[in-house]
Amino acid sequence: MLDVIIAKPALPHSGALILPVLEDGLAAAAAWSGLDAATAGTVARALDAAEFKAKKGQTVTILAPGAGLSRVIAVGLGKEADLTAQIAEEAGGAAAALLGREAAATLADHALSATLAAHAAFGAALRCYRFDRYRTTEKPEEKPRFASLTVLSADTDATAAAWAGLKPVAEGVFLTRDLVSEPPNVLTPAEMAERCEALTKLGLRVEVLGQKELAKLGFGAMLGVSQGSAQEPRMVVMQWLGAGGKGKKAVAKAKPIAFVGKGVTFDSGGISIKPAAGMEDMKWDMAGAGTVIGLMAALAGRKAKVDVVGLVGLVENMPSGTAQRPGDVVKTYSGQTVEIINTDAEGRMVLADVLWYCQERFEPRFMVDLATLTGAMVITLGHEIGGFFSNDDELARNLHAAGEATAEKLWRMPLGEAYDKQLKSDIADMKHVGGRPAGAITAAQFLQRFVNAKPWAHLDIAGMAWSSKDSAVVPKGATAYGVRMLDRLVADYYEG
Ligand code: BES
Ligand code: MN
Ligand code: ZN
């Protein structure tokens, strides 16, 4: 995590400087009190020569402009009237990406308010994430050096307060990115459950259920998926009781809100095995669970005033002599029976049991599940927007708004009886696959049969959990898509 230091502006400046600039604010930026007159002149001429207009996202690097400065990175914010926290974060992220060779930098207290300065630091921290646990031969000089950002602010208290709310969210995002990046031989269901248990240090209550307990409960859908694997399944129940404001010792008052995640630590497809090309990607088929875990860490870390439960179903989907077959019929925890058509449609089986357990035990105000559930969702919305389904208009509106506010965008998809009919089975209460047409929708219809008519939303994050290219605050790789959005959902609508 980037070390963020918050300080009052003081002269003179040396090292690397990030200079956020508003459109039509070029002259004001160059005249910023942190630069001496000669350096300010050099910076102004360099920006002019680079045709820098301070458009949103535009950046220019000026090397050694004088007065002990190694570089100035000017970053455009666009028009002042349109300035948002999101734009400040993206500016911070874009600047951080250009600072790889500098160990430290200073963010000028120009153009950004005390709060927005903290958001710029948040963006810089998010962009600097790197998973390098398994690189053993990389030389220190090959590694990025940037580790410390000094945020200048005339109102250090306000900036520090804003940063105190954002840092735990960045930590939650990093936990999710770590989990999603880990290889599947390391991150087994048991290992993932242990990493959840470590979160008790944040004041979360964590329960872990193993094979025996799940069998006793009657988790036939989830255990059918894991029966082909040498790795034992786990279900983890995490609780953050923050509504009473006392954390660890608090007791739940009203009904909690609930998040449920698909945690398939590796999805080979099982007997309906996947093609070899790209199968390594299926290490991140636990991203729904990884997101729920990171979200719980973020909420506990910032002591959110809300009661929330997070449940994750953790299994490995493998082919073997003990594996589930197409044609099998399993009895789910809800009592409903399911005909297995394709063992690669395993995520919905895991969620079926965990969703039913969650609504039965906690009677939550609503449940939101996250899953890398279908390839069809990737075909529908690509890697730009996550698809979601909901039986509740208010929850749907709030989710959409939280997505817009955090640039983790969502688009609502339809549900309907006609789609549900595709799940009719000749031997059991339903089959779990509805054929090729509307594959993401029929998967959602299947889940809806396990929510018992309570408010619910399903986020199919198959296209969003992993990125093949860098963007402003998300380096390529595990994105942790959903952590910032759902933290925002809680903060804006359910905390108090
Ligand atoms: N984990 C996959 C979905 C997936 C595919 C996620 C590509 C990310 C990228 C899921 O378990 C799966 O295999 N779904 C099948 C369902 C089908 C057999 C009905 C799919 O989408 O092809
Ligand atoms: Mn699958
Ligand atoms: Zn899967």
mmCIF file of all heavy atoms in Angstrom, residues 339-359:
data_model
loop_
_atom_site.group_PDB
_atom_site.id
_atom_site.type_symbol
_atom_site.label_atom_id
_atom_site.label_comp_id
_atom_site.label_asym_id
_atom_site.label_seq_id
_atom_site.Cartn_x
_atom_site.Cartn_y
_atom_site.Cartn_z
ATOM 1 N N GLU A 339 -31.741 -31.605 -11.834
ATOM 2 C CA GLU A 339 -31.094 -32.499 -12.793
ATOM 3 C C GLU A 339 -29.853 -31.802 -13.356
ATOM 4 O O GLU A 339 -29.952 -30.680 -13.872
ATOM 5 C CB GLU A 339 -32.069 -32.829 -13.930
ATOM 6 C CG GLU A 339 -31.455 -33.715 -15.000
ATOM 7 C CD GLU A 339 -32.335 -33.871 -16.255
ATOM 8 O OE1 GLU A 339 -33.370 -33.171 -16.363
ATOM 9 O OE2 GLU A 339 -31.969 -34.686 -17.118
ATOM 10 N N ILE A 340 -28.709 -32.470 -13.231
ATOM 11 C CA ILE A 340 -27.446 -31.907 -13.730
ATOM 12 C C ILE A 340 -27.346 -32.168 -15.231
ATOM 13 O O ILE A 340 -27.441 -33.315 -15.680
ATOM 14 C CB ILE A 340 -26.239 -32.545 -13.001
ATOM 15 C CG1 ILE A 340 -26.326 -32.326 -11.486
ATOM 16 C CG2 ILE A 340 -24.928 -31.997 -13.572
ATOM 17 C CD1 ILE A 340 -26.341 -30.884 -11.032
ATOM 18 N N ILE A 341 -27.175 -31.097 -15.994
ATOM 19 C CA ILE A 341 -27.077 -31.196 -17.451
ATOM 20 C C ILE A 341 -25.624 -31.080 -17.893
ATOM 21 O O ILE A 341 -25.159 -31.800 -18.770
ATOM 22 C CB ILE A 341 -27.912 -30.065 -18.119
ATOM 23 C CG1 ILE A 341 -29.387 -30.182 -17.707
ATOM 24 C CG2 ILE A 341 -27.747 -30.071 -19.637
ATOM 25 C CD1 ILE A 341 -30.069 -31.473 -18.129
ATOM 26 N N ASN A 342 -24.917 -30.140 -17.268
ATOM 27 C CA ASN A 342 -23.545 -29.828 -17.682
ATOM 28 C C ASN A 342 -22.781 -29.475 -16.411
ATOM 29 O O ASN A 342 -23.122 -28.505 -15.727
ATOM 30 C CB ASN A 342 -23.600 -28.640 -18.662
ATOM 31 C CG ASN A 342 -22.235 -28.271 -19.215
ATOM 32 O OD1 ASN A 342 -21.233 -28.305 -18.500
ATOM 33 N ND2 ASN A 342 -22.187 -27.923 -20.475
ATOM 34 N N THR A 343 -21.763 -30.264 -16.091
ATOM 35 C CA THR A 343 -21.081 -30.053 -14.805
ATOM 36 C C THR A 343 -20.271 -28.755 -14.797
ATOM 37 O O THR A 343 -19.740 -28.362 -13.754
ATOM 38 C CB THR A 343 -20.163 -31.234 -14.449
ATOM 39 O OG1 THR A 343 -19.113 -31.326 -15.429
ATOM 40 C CG2 THR A 343 -20.936 -32.546 -14.396
ATOM 41 N N ASP A 344 -20.186 -28.089 -15.972
ATOM 42 C CA ASP A 344 -19.514 -26.793 -16.020
ATOM 43 C C ASP A 344 -20.446 -25.659 -15.569
ATOM 44 O O ASP A 344 -20.010 -24.535 -15.386
ATOM 45 C CB ASP A 344 -19.006 -26.541 -17.440
ATOM 46 C CG ASP A 344 -17.947 -25.463 -17.497
ATOM 47 O OD1 ASP A 344 -17.462 -25.045 -16.414
ATOM 48 O OD2 ASP A 344 -17.594 -25.037 -18.618
ATOM 49 N N ALA A 345 -21.703 -25.938 -15.371
ATOM 50 C CA ALA A 345 -22.631 -24.932 -14.820
ATOM 51 C C ALA A 345 -22.680 -25.144 -13.310
ATOM 52 O O ALA A 345 -23.727 -25.455 -12.731
ATOM 53 C CB ALA A 345 -24.001 -25.039 -15.460
ATOM 54 N N GLU A 346 -21.509 -25.012 -12.670
ATOM 55 C CA GLU A 346 -21.349 -25.375 -11.253
ATOM 56 C C GLU A 346 -21.591 -24.206 -10.300
ATOM 57 O O GLU A 346 -21.992 -24.415 -9.161
ATOM 58 C CB GLU A 346 -19.932 -25.941 -11.027
ATOM 59 C CG GLU A 346 -18.810 -24.922 -10.780
ATOM 60 C CD GLU A 346 -18.570 -23.986 -11.951
ATOM 61 O OE1 GLU A 346 -18.957 -24.321 -13.084
ATOM 62 O OE2 GLU A 346 -17.996 -22.901 -11.732
ATOM 63 N N GLY A 347 -21.357 -22.982 -10.790
ATOM 64 C CA GLY A 347 -21.445 -21.828 -9.887
ATOM 65 C C GLY A 347 -22.830 -21.668 -9.304
ATOM 66 O O GLY A 347 -23.016 -21.396 -8.112
ATOM 67 N N ARG A 348 -23.836 -21.826 -10.147
ATOM 68 C CA ARG A 348 -25.224 -21.672 -9.707
ATOM 69 C C ARG A 348 -25.598 -22.727 -8.669
ATOM 70 O O ARG A 348 -26.461 -22.492 -7.825
ATOM 71 C CB ARG A 348 -26.150 -21.704 -10.935
ATOM 72 C CG ARG A 348 -26.105 -23.007 -11.693
ATOM 73 C CD ARG A 348 -26.701 -22.893 -13.091
ATOM 74 N NE ARG A 348 -25.813 -22.194 -14.020
ATOM 75 C CZ ARG A 348 -26.124 -21.919 -15.287
ATOM 76 N NH1 ARG A 348 -27.298 -22.274 -15.786
ATOM 77 N NH2 ARG A 348 -25.265 -21.295 -16.072
ATOM 78 N N MET A 349 -24.932 -23.923 -8.733
ATOM 79 C CA MET A 349 -25.230 -24.984 -7.762
ATOM 80 C C MET A 349 -24.691 -24.590 -6.384
ATOM 81 O O MET A 349 -25.314 -24.835 -5.351
ATOM 82 C CB MET A 349 -24.614 -26.310 -8.222
ATOM 83 C CG MET A 349 -25.101 -26.788 -9.588
ATOM 84 S SD MET A 349 -26.894 -26.921 -9.708
ATOM 85 C CE MET A 349 -27.205 -28.275 -8.592
ATOM 86 N N VAL A 350 -23.498 -23.991 -6.387
ATOM 87 C CA VAL A 350 -22.900 -23.521 -5.133
ATOM 88 C C VAL A 350 -23.787 -22.427 -4.522
ATOM 89 O O VAL A 350 -24.144 -22.464 -3.339
ATOM 90 C CB VAL A 350 -21.470 -22.979 -5.385
ATOM 91 C CG1 VAL A 350 -20.895 -22.348 -4.130
ATOM 92 C CG2 VAL A 350 -20.579 -24.101 -5.916
ATOM 93 N N LEU A 351 -24.164 -21.457 -5.372
ATOM 94 C CA LEU A 351 -24.964 -20.329 -4.874
ATOM 95 C C LEU A 351 -26.343 -20.774 -4.400
ATOM 96 O O LEU A 351 -26.887 -20.203 -3.450
ATOM 97 C CB LEU A 351 -25.092 -19.264 -5.966
ATOM 98 C CG LEU A 351 -23.813 -18.482 -6.269
ATOM 99 C CD1 LEU A 351 -24.037 -17.558 -7.467
ATOM 100 C CD2 LEU A 351 -23.368 -17.664 -5.058
ATOM 101 N N ALA A 352 -26.921 -21.791 -5.046
ATOM 102 C CA ALA A 352 -28.270 -22.253 -4.677
ATOM 103 C C ALA A 352 -28.324 -22.587 -3.186
ATOM 104 O O ALA A 352 -29.232 -22.141 -2.477
ATOM 105 C CB ALA A 352 -28.656 -23.469 -5.517
ATOM 106 N N ASP A 353 -27.340 -23.362 -2.723
ATOM 107 C CA ASP A 353 -27.357 -23.764 -1.309
ATOM 108 C C ASP A 353 -26.992 -22.608 -0.375
ATOM 109 O O ASP A 353 -27.593 -22.450 0.689
ATOM 110 C CB ASP A 353 -26.387 -24.935 -1.082
ATOM 111 C CG ASP A 353 -26.990 -26.269 -1.546
ATOM 112 O OD1 ASP A 353 -28.221 -26.323 -1.756
ATOM 113 O OD2 ASP A 353 -26.214 -27.240 -1.684
ATOM 114 N N VAL A 354 -26.024 -21.802 -0.768
ATOM 115 C CA VAL A 354 -25.584 -20.720 0.126
ATOM 116 C C VAL A 354 -26.659 -19.630 0.216
ATOM 117 O O VAL A 354 -26.921 -19.101 1.302
ATOM 118 C CB VAL A 354 -24.217 -20.145 -0.322
ATOM 119 C CG1 VAL A 354 -23.765 -19.051 0.644
ATOM 120 C CG2 VAL A 354 -23.167 -21.254 -0.390
ATOM 121 N N LEU A 355 -27.305 -19.317 -0.895
ATOM 122 C CA LEU A 355 -28.388 -18.314 -0.870
ATOM 123 C C LEU A 355 -29.534 -18.786 0.039
ATOM 124 O O LEU A 355 -30.045 -18.018 0.856
ATOM 125 C CB LEU A 355 -28.927 -18.072 -2.291
ATOM 126 C CG LEU A 355 -28.100 -17.166 -3.199
ATOM 127 C CD1 LEU A 355 -28.598 -17.272 -4.647
ATOM 128 C CD2 LEU A 355 -28.148 -15.709 -2.739
ATOM 129 N N TRP A 356 -29.914 -20.054 -0.107
ATOM 130 C CA TRP A 356 -31.037 -20.566 0.702
ATOM 131 C C TRP A 356 -30.683 -20.519 2.184
ATOM 132 O O TRP A 356 -31.468 -20.086 3.039
ATOM 133 C CB TRP A 356 -31.421 -21.987 0.272
ATOM 134 C CG TRP A 356 -32.708 -22.422 0.907
ATOM 135 C CD1 TRP A 356 -32.852 -23.100 2.083
ATOM 136 C CD2 TRP A 356 -34.029 -22.171 0.439
ATOM 137 N NE1 TRP A 356 -34.179 -23.291 2.374
ATOM 138 C CE2 TRP A 356 -34.928 -22.734 1.382
ATOM 139 C CE3 TRP A 356 -34.551 -21.521 -0.695
ATOM 140 C CZ2 TRP A 356 -36.317 -22.661 1.214
ATOM 141 C CZ3 TRP A 356 -35.939 -21.466 -0.850
ATOM 142 C CH2 TRP A 356 -36.798 -22.028 0.104
ATOM 143 N N TYR A 357 -29.463 -20.941 2.491
ATOM 144 C CA TYR A 357 -28.984 -20.938 3.881
ATOM 145 C C TYR A 357 -28.993 -19.505 4.434
ATOM 146 O O TYR A 357 -29.438 -19.250 5.564
ATOM 147 C CB TYR A 357 -27.570 -21.516 3.923
ATOM 148 C CG TYR A 357 -26.917 -21.509 5.283
ATOM 149 C CD1 TYR A 357 -27.054 -22.588 6.154
ATOM 150 C CD2 TYR A 357 -26.140 -20.420 5.708
ATOM 151 C CE1 TYR A 357 -26.446 -22.581 7.407
ATOM 152 C CE2 TYR A 357 -25.543 -20.407 6.955
ATOM 153 C CZ TYR A 357 -25.693 -21.490 7.795
ATOM 154 O OH TYR A 357 -25.090 -21.481 9.028
ATOM 155 N N CYS A 358 -28.530 -18.572 3.629
ATOM 156 C CA CYS A 358 -28.430 -17.164 4.047
ATOM 157 C C CYS A 358 -29.809 -16.591 4.358
ATOM 158 O O CYS A 358 -30.020 -15.986 5.420
ATOM 159 C CB CYS A 358 -27.749 -16.354 2.949
ATOM 160 S SG CYS A 358 -27.582 -14.605 3.356
ATOM 161 N N GLN A 359 -30.774 -16.781 3.467
ATOM 162 C CA GLN A 359 -32.103 -16.190 3.692
ATOM 163 C C GLN A 359 -32.799 -16.874 4.858
ATOM 164 O O GLN A 359 -33.533 -16.248 5.608
ATOM 165 C CB GLN A 359 -32.949 -16.162 2.417
ATOM 166 C CG GLN A 359 -33.240 -17.491 1.753
ATOM 167 C CD GLN A 359 -34.479 -18.193 2.300
ATOM 168 O OE1 GLN A 359 -35.333 -17.548 2.893
ATOM 169 N NE2 GLN A 359 -34.542 -19.489 2.131
#
